């Protein structure tokens, strides 16, 4: 199945990442004429800390209530190269680069993106509407409604819905 939404999703996420980076941590950002206070985004030192975070997110009661697949454990492994993170649905495995050129992936929003692939039970393309909904819902439950609003506005503006 063609993943026509992929580039739009990635473009919107890059904008969200930059917006939150500029906010620093627990600072205000403006989007769609609204000023929001956003939390600091977690950064990870290594794959072990990513794995602990994934386990903690999957154990959150609101995540378990929203997503049936939250009860299925996700394994975190090293991915060679630094260009991409990946989720393999067949093995419930998240592959994250942790080399010097892959340090960009050791951040909360990237890990939540890959985890949303695990939680998405839709039948469509990998970055289709059900994935976008799962990602926004996951961001809302973990980082709060303010960051979810940022995602919703940027995805809508990018035509990723």
């Amino acid at each position: 199945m063609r993943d026509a939404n992929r580039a739009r999703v990635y473009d919107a996420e890059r904008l969200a990442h930059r917006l939150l980076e500029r906010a620093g941590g627990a600072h205000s950002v403006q989007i769609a004429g609204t000023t929001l206070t956003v939390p600091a985004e977690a950064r990870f030192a290594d794959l072990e800390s990513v794995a602990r975070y994934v386990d903690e997110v999957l154990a959150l009661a609101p995540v378990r209530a929203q997503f049936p697949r939250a009860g299925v454990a996700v394994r975190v492994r090293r991915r060679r190269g630094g260009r991409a993170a990946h989720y393999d649905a067949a093995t419930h495995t998240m592959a994250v680069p942790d080399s010097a050129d892959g340090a960009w992936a050791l951040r909360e929003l990237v890990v939540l993106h890959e985890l949303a692939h695990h939680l998405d039970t839709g039948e469509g393309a990998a970055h289709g509407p059900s994935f976008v909904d799962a990602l926004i819902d996951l961001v809302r439950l973990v980082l709060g409604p303010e960051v979810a609003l940022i995602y919703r506005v940027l995805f809508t503006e990018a035509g990723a819905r």
Side-chain angles (χ1 to χ4, degrees):
M1 177 174 291
R2 189 168 176 273
D3 194 1
N5 219 27
R6 181 178 182 210
R8 291 183 196 112
V9 166
Y10 288 169
D11 288 346
E13 282 186 304
R14 276 190 286 278
L15 289 173
H17 293 183
R18 283 197 302 268
L19 187 64
L20 293 175
E21 283 169 359
R22 277 184 283 175
H27 293 288
S28 297
V29 298
Q30 286 194 346
I31 188 162
T34 304
T35 301
L36 303 171
T37 301
V38 295
E41 180 188 4
R43 300 294 180 134
F44 304 103
D46 51 37
L47 292 179
E48 291 77 23
S49 59
V50 172
R52 279 191 304 276
Y53 176 81
V54 167
D55 290 345
E56 290 169 5
V57 168
L58 291 176
L60 292 171
V63 172
R64 285 188 175 257
Q66 176 87 26
F67 298 104
R69 289 178 49 103
V72 177
V74 172
R75 185 174 148 256
V76 176
R77 72 167 177 82
R78 173 173 288 109
R79 180 172 176 146
R80 291 186 189 150
R83 296 187 48 164
H86 175 74
Y87 174 74
D88 181 356
T91 62
H92 310 295
T93 302
M94 181 185 304
V96 180
D98 67 344
S99 61
D101 59 340
W104 63 269
L106 295 173
R107 63 185 298 170
E108 191 169 20
L109 292 173
V110 171
V111 172
L112 290 176
H113 174 108
E114 298 308 326
L115 197 51
H117 282 298
H118 172 69
L119 298 172
D120 176 21
T121 56
E123 301 277 326
H127 295 91
S130 68
F131 169 78
V132 170
D133 288 341
L135 178 56
I136 291 172
D137 285 343
L138 183 60
V139 165
R140 177 181 54 81
L141 294 171
V142 175
L143 295 174
E146 297 83 5
V147 182
L149 176 62
I150 291 168
Y151 265 55
R152 189 171 308 284
V153 167
L154 294 176
F155 283 137
T156 300
E157 287 179 355
R161 296 278 315 173

